[in-house]
């Protein structure tokens, strides 16, 4: 199919779906106009129905279909029971799951720690905007572009040769032997995680900075009048008050760490023991054409991320009840 027919299909879909929704709502409103007694109870559901239908078509149906495929054979036909899940947690995927665990631990820990430092200390200096801008600049780059940039930065040449990569060039100028950052299995995953931290630190710092600015000044002033130093004030006032914001930032980083794909795909494509679950899902689905394996890995990622999502929902409900 050519580009023009595809564009026409997209245009028809973009116009048709809102038009159908508008017609349904207008028809329902006209019908409710003849029954004013029932309108108050029915009208909210009329307006919510399109959202429910779109959510079902975009989220619920694909998720249910993925769960069903995870119990099927490679070609998506016939049932295979728990075979795909046994493969997902088998010895062949242990390095992949270990790498995901490293991403899951290091990305939130590093970005939250550095983000807190930037948010709290940056709030006390006159050049706060400059600091925040410098930290936030990498967030404006796509993950694929960042992967290309850092692949060039990590470029490796053997010892004695002229280094073309920025990182090894700096190391060589100080007398340190060059390191094959993305080709040495002992450091490759950590080199990729560093790129992930570099990319997401700005967003985390921005979220935490907004939380710091929302802390009532009276609380901080009262703590200082009671004789608390800066560290005690941070530990006893700033940190507890900032907890809901920290939870939001933690959620974004955990989800990013679980579904990281672009950086790994662009920089190593999972080679040199850097593979992660999302990259393996892509390989199983589009390269190996194994729908069962890909779906089982996707369901496992969903189950791992669910506790974080439920924790956020619980936190939001608690905040709503205290307002």
């Amino acid at each position: 199919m050519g580009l023009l027919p595809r564009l026409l299909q997209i245009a028809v879909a973009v116009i048709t779906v809102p038009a159908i929704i508008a017609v349904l709502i207008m028809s329902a409103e006209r019908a409710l106009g003849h029954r004013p007694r029932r309108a108050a109870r029915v009208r909210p559901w009329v307006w919510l129905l399109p959202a429910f239908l779109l959510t079902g078509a975009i989220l619920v149906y694909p998720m249910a279909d993925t769960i069903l495929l995870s119990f099927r054979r490679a070609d998506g036909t016939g049932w295979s029971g728990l075979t795909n899940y046994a493969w997902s947690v088998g010895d062949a995927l242990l390095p992949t799951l270990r790498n995901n665990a490293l991403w899951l631990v290091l990305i939130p820990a590093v970005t939250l720690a550095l983000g807190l430092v930037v948010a709290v200390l940056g709030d006390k200096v006159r050049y706060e905007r400059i600091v925040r801008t410098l930290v936030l600049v990498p967030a404006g780059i796509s993950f694929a572009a960042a992967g290309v940039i850092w692949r060039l930065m990590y470029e490796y040449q053997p010892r004695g040769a002229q280094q073309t990569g920025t990182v090894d060039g700096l190391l060589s100028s100080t007398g340190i032997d060059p390191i094959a950052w993305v080709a040495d299995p002992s450091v490759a995953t950590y080199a990729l995680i560093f790129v992930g931290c570099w990319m997401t630190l700005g967003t985390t710092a921005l979220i935490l900075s907004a939380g710091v600015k929302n802390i009532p000044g009276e609380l901080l002033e009262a703590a200082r009048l009671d004789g608390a130093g800066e560290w005690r004030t941070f530990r006893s006032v700033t940190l507890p008050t900032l907890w809901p914001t920290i939870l939001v930032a933690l959620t974004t980083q955990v989800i990013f760490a679980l579904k990281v794909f672009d950086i790994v795909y662009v920089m190593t494509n999972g080679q040199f023991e850097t593979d992660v679950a999302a990259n393996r899902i892509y390989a199983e689905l589009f390269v190996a054409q194994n729908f069962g394996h890909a779906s089982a890995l996707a369901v496992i990622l969903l189950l791992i991320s669910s506790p974080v999502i439920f924790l956020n929902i619980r936190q939001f409900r608690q905040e709503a009840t205290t307002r």
Side-chain angles (χ1 to χ4, degrees):
M1 184 180 291
L3 178 61
L4 184 58
R6 288 182 179 274
L7 292 177
L8 289 176
Q9 286 183 355
I10 295 173
V12 170
V14 169
I15 296 173
T16 303
V17 173
I20 293 175
I21 293 175
V23 170
L24 289 175
I25 292 178
M26 292 174 62
S27 302
E29 284 290 336
R30 181 173 296 181
L32 290 174
H34 299 291
R35 298 184 177 182
R37 294 182 179 180
R38 304 181 63 179
R41 289 182 298 173
V42 177
R43 180 171 284 113
W45 295 105
V46 169
W47 286 88
L48 287 173
L49 181 61
F52 288 151
L53 293 176
L54 289 175
T55 302
I58 297 173
L59 292 178
V60 178
Y61 170 73
M63 183 173 64
D65 190 48
T66 301
I67 294 174
L68 288 177
L69 281 174
S70 69
F71 295 101
R72 292 183 176 271
R73 296 171 185 168
D75 58 357
T77 61
W79 298 99
S80 62
L82 298 176
T83 304
N84 295 321
Y85 289 97
W87 169 86
S88 299
V89 296
D91 293 339
L93 281 187
L94 281 181
T96 299
L97 299 177
R98 182 199 63 195
N99 290 336
N100 264 105
L102 284 175
W103 281 87
L104 190 60
V105 172
L106 293 180
I107 285 283
V110 173
T111 54
L112 283 176
L114 295 179
L116 274 173
V117 171
V118 173
V120 174
L121 297 184
D123 192 52
K124 301 179 181 296
V125 296
R126 291 179 299 176
Y127 43 88
E128 175 191 0
R129 293 183 179 179
I130 299 176
V131 173
R132 192 189 310 167
T133 301
L134 291 175
V135 175
L136 196 59
V137 164
I141 307 172
S142 69
F143 288 105
V148 173
I149 291 171
W150 277 96
R151 186 170 182 176
L152 296 174
M153 295 274 285
Y154 285 143
E155 190 71 32
Y156 168 78
Q157 298 296 334
R159 181 180 179 183
Q162 183 178 2
Q163 298 300 320
T164 56
T166 305
V167 178
D168 278 336
L170 292 174
L171 292 178
S172 298
S173 65
T174 59
I176 301 176
D177 291 338
I179 301 173
W181 293 101
V182 294
D184 184 351
S186 64
V187 298
T189 296
Y190 297 100
L192 269 58
I193 290 175
F194 174 83
V195 178
C197 293
W198 179 75
M199 284 290 298
T200 57
L201 174 60
T203 305
T204 304
L206 188 64
I207 295 173
L208 296 175
S209 179
V212 168
K213 292 186 178 300
N214 283 330
I215 297 177
E218 297 81 3
L219 292 177
L220 301 176
E221 189 64 27
R224 295 189 180 100
L225 290 176
D226 288 340
E230 290 298 324
W231 170 247
R232 181 64 183 275
T233 302
F234 170 77
R235 189 180 62 184
S236 302
V237 179
T238 303
L239 204 57
T241 310
L242 205 59
W243 169 243
T245 307
I246 293 175
L247 184 60
V248 172
L250 176 65
T251 302
T252 59
Q253 296 302 345
V254 167
I255 293 175
F256 164 72
L258 285 173
K259 66 183 184 65
V260 62
F261 169 75
D262 312 63
I263 295 173
V264 177
Y265 180 77
V266 171
M267 297 186 69
T268 64
N269 196 19
Q271 298 178 358
F272 312 111
E273 300 180 12
T274 61
D275 207 6
V276 290
N279 191 67
R280 191 58 183 266
I281 290 174
Y282 177 87
E284 292 293 330
L285 183 60
F286 295 104
V287 179
Q289 296 287 305
N290 194 319
F291 298 97
H293 285 178
S295 299
L297 274 175
V299 172
I300 288 175
L301 285 184
L302 175 64
L303 292 176
I304 294 174
S305 61
S306 294
V308 181
I309 298 172
F310 291 137
L311 181 62
N312 270 269
I313 294 174
R314 180 181 178 184
Q315 180 67 32
F316 292 150
R317 287 178 176 174
Q318 288 179 350
E319 291 181 10
T321 56
T322 55
R323 289 176 183 174

